[in-house]
């Protein structure tokens, strides 16, 4: 069965500091992996996705994530946090050969950025 | 810029009343998902459709919730009768099953308050 675990429901960083949001997945078949961001009172927006083309994936707003099969991880990073990055972040897994498009979402990590 | 639209954006109603939420998926997408988001439970998948056919509605309370797709441009989620515990934000998302990455695109949500 497929599942996603986001380590840490709340992460707090200072402006300009490194952002690291952790995601581990479980999948019996090669996965697709996603990071979504949700700003207050908005829907989820796609940040980036892994589709097996490259293990290091670059997304919008300076975020990137690296797929590590041996660690079953897909952690999200950004070198320097901005105040505007404060939001909730969701990791999600889908899988190839699925004909439904269904994704499994993690519980989310709230990122706080302190001035 | 293609987007998923949802109406209404906000709804306040009294317990026992019927609530209907509507979603217009992105043109050409063939999968539609309904999610519910609360502080306590996070993001829960209620139901999803492919090519207008329901694939899975196991996440939905059957006695009061119903989801339909009258046509390819409209999905509805209905609650009858509504209860205070249904207060949440309801998101619709659409995607293209068979697409290599099966990305889901979220609408802005309907914020429901049942008094």
């Amino acid at each position: 069965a497929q599942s996603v675990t986001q380590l840490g429901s709340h992460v707090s960083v200072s402006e300009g500091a490194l952002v690291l949001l952790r995601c581990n997945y479980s999948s019996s078949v090669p996965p697709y992996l996603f990071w979504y961001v949700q700003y207050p009172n908005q829907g989820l927006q796609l940040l980036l996705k892994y589709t097996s083309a490259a293990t290091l994936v670059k997304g919008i707003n300076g975020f990137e994530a690296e797929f590590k099969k041996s660690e079953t991880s897909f952690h999200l990073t950004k070198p320097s946090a901005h105040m505007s990055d404060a939001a909730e972040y969701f990791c999600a897994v889908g899988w190839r050969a699925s004909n439904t498009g269904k994704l499994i979402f993690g519980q989310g990590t709230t990122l706080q950025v302190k001035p | 810029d293609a987007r998923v639209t949802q109406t209404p954006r906000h709804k306040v109603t009294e317990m026992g009343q019927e609530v209907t939420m509507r979603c217009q998926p992105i043109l050409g997408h063939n999968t539609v998902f309904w999610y519910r988001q609360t502080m306590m439970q996070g993001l829960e998948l209620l139901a999803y459709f492919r090519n207008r056919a329901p694939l899975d509605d196991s996440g939905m309370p059957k006695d009061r919730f119903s989801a339909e797709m009258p046509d390819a441009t409209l999905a509805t989620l209905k609650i009858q009768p509504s209860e205070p515990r249904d207060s949440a934000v309801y998101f619709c998302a659409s995607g293209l099953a068979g697409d290599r990455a099966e990305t889901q695109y979220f609408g802005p949500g309907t914020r429901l308050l049942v008094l």
Side-chain angles (χ1 to χ4, degrees):
Chain A
Q2 284 73 20
S3 66
V4 175
T5 302
Q6 291 184 238
L7 301 176
S9 59
H10 288 84
V11 170
S12 181
V13 301
S14 298
E15 191 174 20
L18 171 71
V19 175
L20 171 60
L21 304 182
R22 300 177 188 275
C23 172
N24 287 91
Y25 69 91
S26 171
S27 178
S28 56
V29 297
Y32 293 135
L33 293 159
F34 303 78
W35 275 100
Y36 283 82
V37 60
Q38 184 181 27
Y39 298 104
N41 300 315
Q42 295 186 26
L44 280 69
Q45 302 174 31
L46 181 68
L47 263 182
L48 50 80
K49 61 187 178 186
Y50 165 74
T51 61
S52 80
T55 57
L56 183 63
V57 182
K58 294 187 183 299
I60 62 172
N61 301 337
F63 284 93
E64 62 182 36
E66 186 173 8
F67 172 68
K68 292 187 177 181
K69 184 178 179 180
S70 61
E71 299 177 8
T72 61
S73 68
F74 191 57
H75 301 332
L76 182 70
T77 61
K78 181 173 180 178
S80 177
H82 294 162
M83 297 297 292
S84 60
D85 294 327
E88 188 160 19
Y89 292 79
F90 292 91
C91 183
V93 61
W95 51 98
R96 303 170 201 177
S98 164
N99 64 354
T100 67
K102 181 180 177 181
L103 298 179
I104 305 296
F105 283 86
Q107 285 297 102
T109 298
T110 300
L111 176 65
Q112 180 187 24
V113 182
K114 298 176 292 185
Chain B
D1 179 28
R3 298 187 182 192
V4 175
T5 57
Q6 291 185 247
T7 57
R9 292 293 313 277
H10 298 87
K11 176 73 175 179
V12 180
T13 191
E14 293 187 347
M15 182 174 63
Q17 296 299 303
E18 178 179 300
V19 175
T20 299
M21 291 168 271
R22 294 176 175 81
C23 167
Q24 183 173 7
I26 292 173
L27 189 64
H29 282 185
N30 61 358
T31 57
V32 172
F33 304 82
W34 283 105
Y35 292 90
R36 176 171 63 184
Q37 186 178 41
T38 60
M39 291 291 291
M40 294 300 294
Q41 300 297 327
L43 196 63
E44 302 174 274
L45 178 64
L46 297 175
Y48 61 100
F49 295 76
R50 184 190 183 203
N51 295 328
R52 297 176 54 201
L55 286 188
D56 187 353
D57 61 1
S58 60
M60 211 162 61
K62 300 293 192 307
D63 56 337
R64 298 184 300 107
F65 283 59
S66 62
E68 295 179 345
M69 279 201 75
D71 61 59
T73 64
L74 177 64
T76 62
L77 180 66
K78 187 176 296 186
I79 308 174
Q80 168 64 8
S82 58
E83 296 181 1
R85 59 179 168 156
D86 301 329
S87 298
V89 183
Y90 291 81
F91 289 105
C92 172
S94 72
L96 186 62
D99 173 69
R100 192 161 175 265
E102 300 175 337
T103 302
Q104 291 184 18
Y105 297 86
F106 282 73
T110 293
R111 187 173 298 271
L112 174 65
L113 177 61
V114 183
L115 302 174

